[in-house]
Amino acid sequence: MHNTVSPPTADAALIERLEAQARVIRRDIIKMTYTAQAGHPGGSLSSADILTALYFHVLRLDPKNPDWPQRDRFILSKGHGCPTLYACLARRGFYPLDQLYTLRQLGSMLQGHPHKGSPPGVETTSGSLGNGFAIAMGRALALKMNTSTSRVYVLLGDGECDEGIVWEAAMAAAKYNLDNLTAIVDRNRLQNDGNADEIMPLDPLDEKWRAFRWHVITIDGHDMCAILTALDAAKATKGQPTVIIANTIKGKGVSFMENNADWHGRAPTQAEYEQALAEIGGE
Amino acid sequence: MSRLWPRSGVSEMQKPIPTREAFGEVLAELGKEFTELVVVDCDISKGTRTVYFAKAYPERYINFGIAEQNAMCAAAGLALEGKLPLISTYAVFASMRAVEQIRTFICYDNLNVKIAVSHGGMNPSTDGVTHQASEDLGMLTTIPNLTVVAPADYYATRVLTRAALAWQGPVYLRFSKDPVPLVYTADDTFAIGKGKVLRDGSDVTLISNGDMLPVAVEAADMLAAQGVSVQLIDMHTVKPLDRELVLAAAQKTRRIVTIEDHQIHGGLGGAVAELLGEERPTPMRRIGLRDTFAESGPFNALLKKYHMDADAIVLAARELLGK
C-alpha cells in the first residue's frame, strides 16, 4: 500500500457545505448540457466533487481580479469536462450566472471546449488531450523561476493518460522538482469508446506515476473529506510533484448515467433531464 | 569554390555561414536586452546553436529532451506566466510533430512564443528527407496569428532574430543548417512584414528568401549578363506577406518568378500566387520542389536535380519573357 489516504475527521460543517455545493454544480451540468443539447455530462459529473473542493475551498482566487498574479492556477486538461469548470466559475462569481445556459451557442463565452479567458477564470485553452497537462507543467516551472508561491492544479482524465505527451510532461515535472504542481487523475475507467481497461489498459497507473518520480496518492474521488486531505498532503509534499489518482464514477449522481460510456458525449432528453435533477436533489 | 557563390574575390570575412550560427550567436547577445527571454530546447542545442545561450544564461535555459510536443506546450505555459519563451528544434519536428501544439495552444491564444528552427528546407541536405522540412511553411502559414520569417544570411538573421523577439505574438523563424553565402552587410536593415528590394529592374521580378536568395542573386547576375532587367526581392517574411510590394512588382515587371527551398505549394510561391490570383493576375513561375520528396546529397546537386538551381531560374524567367 502506498500513500492511500484514509479520511480523518475533518470539519463537518465544511464537508457539508462542499457536498451541498457539489449538488448545485451537478444540477448546473445537467441544465447546461440539456439546454445546449450537447456536451459531455458523464466526465463532468465524475469530476464535480474534485472541482468543487478546489474552487470552493482550496484555490487561492479573486473572482473580481481573475488575473491576480498571486492566485493559484487550475487547468482542466480534460477540457471536455468544461461544464463543471464553467459552473464553478459562475458560482464563484467570475461571470454572471445567466451566461451558464449559453454553452456552445454562437456568440457565447462558453465554448465547447475551454478557451483561455473565456469566460474569465479559464486559465488555459484545453480539450485536445494531454496538452493542458504539459502547459500546467510549463506554468509551474515559470512560477518556480519567478519564485512565486502560487500553486498549479491540473485535472486529467484517465483515458487522457493514453496520450504520450502526458508522460513527456510527467518526466519534465520530476526533472524540475515541481512540488508546486498537483495533478489529479479522474479515474472513472470509461472513455469515449467504452471500458478504459479494454481500450488501453493503464494499470498499474499508480506505479506508472511513481516510476516517473511523482508522489502518488490514491483516493475515492467522491469522498469530499478524502479529496481535501489529499490536496493538503500534495501541498505539504516538497521536492517532487504529486498526483492524486481519484477513483470516480462516470456520471456520478445520476443513476442511468453512472458507469455508462454512452453518456461520455450525449445530452439528456427532457424526461432524462427531469429525472436527473430529481435524483441529484439539492433544490 | 561553390557554384552558388554569387561574387568573386571574396575575403575570409565573407565566407558562407549557416544562419543557425548567426542565430545562436545573436541569441546569446540578446539575453541581456530581453530579460524575460527563456530558451526551451529539445536535445539539439548543438544543432540549433542555442548552446551559446545556455552557456551564457544557464538559469534561463530549459532542456526538455527529445519531446517536442511537451516542449511546445511548456513554452505556452511559460508565456502565460509572462516569460518570453523561444523554443528551438529542427523545422521538420516543430512544424509537423508539434503543429497542433503550435496551432491550438500558442496561436489560438496568440501567445508570445518564438519558434526558431534550424534545418529549414532541403538544407540539411545530406541528412535526407526525415530531417528536411519542405512542407513547414505550408503547414504554418494557414495558422491565424502566426508570423513566418525565413532570413537569408548571417546579417539578415541577426537583425530579424532581434525583431522577432521584439514582435508581440508568435513567430516562426526558419534557419539553415548548411553555410549560406553572404548577401548583405552589417549595415543592412530589415523589418518583419516588409520585403527588401535588392535590385530594381523592369523585365522580370525574382522573389526569394532564406537559403535560396543567394541562388536567386546568381540567376539575376546571369540574366543581367543576357541583357534582362531584373528586379530582385528578398521576401523574408512569408506571413504576413508584403502585399504592396508584390502588387507593385507585378505592375512594374508583369512577370514573377518565386524561388524557395520548399514545396511550390503553401509557401512563398503559393502566397504570391494567391495574392496575384485575386488582385492582379500575372504570369508566374514557381521554383521549388514540385510535389516530390528530395533525398540525401550535396545541396548544389539537389538543386540541380530538382530544377531549383540558377539555370532553372534563368530558364523560368526566359519562358516568361518569351525568349
Side-chain angles (χ1 to χ4, degrees):
Chain A
M1 181 161 125
H2 303 274
N3 301 311
T4 300
V5 171
S6 320
T9 49
D11 179 341
L14 170 65
I15 300 295
E16 199 173 318
R17 174 174 75 81
L18 292 175
E19 286 174 348
Q21 186 65 56
R23 277 193 292 278
V24 173
I25 299 299
R26 284 196 163 87
R27 294 179 70 85
D28 287 337
I29 293 165
I30 297 298
K31 288 179 190 169
M32 292 165 80
T33 52
Y34 172 66
T35 310
Q37 277 302 297
H40 297 80
S44 298
L45 291 167
S46 67
S47 59
D49 299 303
I50 297 159
L51 262 73
T52 300
L54 286 165
Y55 273 96
F56 294 88
H57 183 64
V58 174
L59 296 177
R60 185 166 63 180
L61 296 170
D62 179 0
K64 297 287 169 271
N65 184 8
D67 295 326
W68 179 42
Q70 278 77 44
R71 75 195 184 281
D72 291 330
R73 279 69 162 160
F74 173 76
I75 290 160
L76 183 71
S77 193
K78 50 168 286 187
H80 56 281
C82 58
T84 319
L85 174 62
Y86 295 157
C88 286
L89 290 170
R91 295 283 171 189
R92 273 301 309 266
F94 279 86
Y95 69 103
L97 256 182
D98 59 13
Q99 297 287 305
L100 258 188
Y101 308 114
T102 65
L103 174 68
R104 290 177 177 244
Q105 305 302 310
L106 187 63
S108 171
M109 285 192 291
L110 309 188
Q111 294 294 297
H113 290 80
H115 181 203
K116 179 187 147 32
S118 175
V122 173
E123 292 279 3
T124 297
T125 294
S126 64
S128 162
L129 296 173
N131 297 292
F133 178 52
I135 292 170
M137 183 278 296
R139 296 185 79 151
L141 179 56
L143 290 168
K144 281 262 180 188
M145 293 172 98
N146 291 341
T147 63
S148 166
T149 59
S150 296
R151 297 185 58 76
V152 179
Y153 296 86
V154 53
L155 184 77
L156 300 99
D158 53 354
E160 183 173 11
C161 295
D162 297 353
E163 289 279 5
I165 191 174
V166 169
W167 304 102
E168 294 180 3
M171 275 188 285
K175 173 183 174 180
Y176 290 104
N177 305 313
L178 300 181
D179 52 17
N180 57 345
L181 176 64
T182 300
I184 304 147
V185 178
D186 184 0
R187 184 80 166 119
N188 59 37
R189 291 189 179 266
L190 289 174
Q191 55 195 103
N192 189 66
D193 278 355
N195 187 332
D197 294 328
E198 291 168 10
I199 289 159
M200 186 48 66
L202 285 171
D203 282 330
L205 185 58
D206 55 346
E207 292 295 343
K208 282 191 173 68
W209 285 97
R210 211 167 278 121
F212 279 75
R213 299 201 288 122
W214 282 59
H215 173 220
V216 182
I217 301 171
T218 303
I219 61 166
D220 171 352
H222 300 304
D223 180 334
M224 196 56 79
C225 187
I227 295 168
L228 296 181
T229 306
L231 289 168
D232 273 350
K235 196 172 177 178
T237 301
K238 298 299 170 200
Q240 67 179 147
T242 294
V243 59
I244 298 167
I245 298 175
N247 289 309
T248 57
I249 294 167
K250 197 154 184 162
K252 172 72 176 178
V254 178
S255 61
F256 56 90
M257 293 185 182
E258 287 190 0
N259 286 320
N260 184 347
D262 291 345
W263 286 97
H264 173 83
R266 97 154 170 89
T269 64
Q270 187 179 348
E272 289 163 343
Y273 163 74
E274 285 165 6
Q275 187 187 337
L277 289 186
E279 288 188 18
I280 292 166
E283 185 73 315
Chain B
M1 181 164 295
S2 162
R3 194 181 165 287
L4 287 180
W5 198 241
R7 296 169 183 170
S8 55
V10 293
S11 72
E12 185 68 12
M13 290 298 288
Q14 292 169 304
K15 271 175 62 176
I17 305 169
T19 51
R20 60 174 170 160
E21 182 69 24
F23 158 71
E25 181 186 293
V26 76
L27 191 66
E29 295 168 20
L30 291 169
K32 189 174 179 185
E33 178 183 352
F34 294 90
T35 55
E36 294 301 322
L37 176 61
V38 172
V39 171
V40 173
D41 235 306
C42 305
D43 192 43
I44 35 181
S45 65
K46 292 172 195 161
T48 60
R49 302 294 198 261
T50 49
V51 65
Y52 307 144
F53 183 92
K55 282 186 181 143
Y57 298 97
E59 73 288 354
R60 286 156 58 189
Y61 176 76
I62 302 161
N63 198 328
F64 285 119
I66 310 164
E68 293 81 9
Q69 297 173 353
N70 174 56
M72 204 64 78
C73 278
L78 287 155
L80 285 164
E81 297 298 343
K83 296 295 185 189
L84 175 56
L86 179 143
I87 177 166
S88 190
T89 178
Y90 294 162
V92 69
F93 307 139
S95 67
M96 285 171 253
R97 195 176 191 117
V99 68
E100 190 206 6
Q101 285 73 25
I102 293 176
R103 177 224 178 230
T104 305
F105 300 98
I106 293 173
C107 294
Y108 183 30
D109 291 337
N110 202 18
L111 298 182
N112 201 20
V113 176
K114 312 306 167 189
I115 302 151
V117 299
S118 178
H119 294 47
M122 296 189 299
N123 197 302
S125 50
T126 59
D127 284 343
V129 172
T130 59
H131 284 59
Q132 294 168 351
S134 300
E135 305 80 12
D136 56 333
L137 303 178
M139 300 281 168
L140 298 175
T141 52
T142 57
I143 301 177
N145 292 336
L146 186 63
T147 294
V148 177
V149 183
D153 77 350
Y154 175 87
Y155 293 110
T157 295
R158 287 187 58 89
V159 177
L160 286 167
T161 297
R162 192 197 166 279
L165 292 182
W167 186 266
Q168 273 302 310
V171 180
Y172 180 80
L173 277 168
R174 187 198 212 219
F175 303 121
S176 61
K177 178 200 178 197
D178 296 331
V180 182
L182 295 184
V183 175
Y184 295 113
T185 70
D187 298 329
D188 277 294
T189 59
F190 304 85
I192 289 175
K194 290 285 168 204
K196 197 169 168 72
V197 180
L198 276 74
R199 297 181 190 179
D200 218 348
S202 54
D203 293 334
V204 63
T205 301
L206 308 184
I207 305 179
S208 187
N209 65 18
D211 59 4
M212 290 302 282
L213 188 65
V215 188
V217 170
E218 186 187 5
D221 285 344
M222 291 162 66
L223 285 164
Q226 296 168 15
V228 178
S229 174
V230 178
Q231 184 186 41
L232 177 60
I233 294 174
D234 176 3
M235 195 62 77
H236 49 75
T237 306
V238 181
K239 190 188 174 196
L241 187 68
D242 188 343
R243 295 167 52 95
E244 288 69 27
L245 185 56
V246 173
L247 291 172
Q251 183 173 17
K252 185 171 188 184
T253 69
R254 304 168 312 282
R255 300 170 192 94
I256 306 276
V257 181
T258 59
I259 303 130
E260 62 189 315
D261 191 353
H262 190 267
Q263 301 286 344
I264 58 169
H265 310 104
L268 178 62
V272 170
E274 286 172 11
L275 172 65
L276 294 179
E278 280 192 347
E279 301 288 338
R280 179 179 274 277
T282 302
M284 270 190 79
R285 291 291 183 275
R286 289 171 295 162
I287 299 290
L289 286 173
R290 303 189 79 85
D291 198 23
T292 182
F293 292 106
E295 63 196 78
S296 290
F299 189 57
N300 289 353
L302 290 176
L303 293 185
K304 186 167 180 56
K305 174 167 182 179
Y306 293 98
H307 308 291
M308 294 166 64
D309 61 358
D311 290 338
I313 298 167
V314 168
L315 190 65
R318 295 191 67 86
E319 277 175 18
L320 289 177
L321 289 158
K323 293 178 184 173

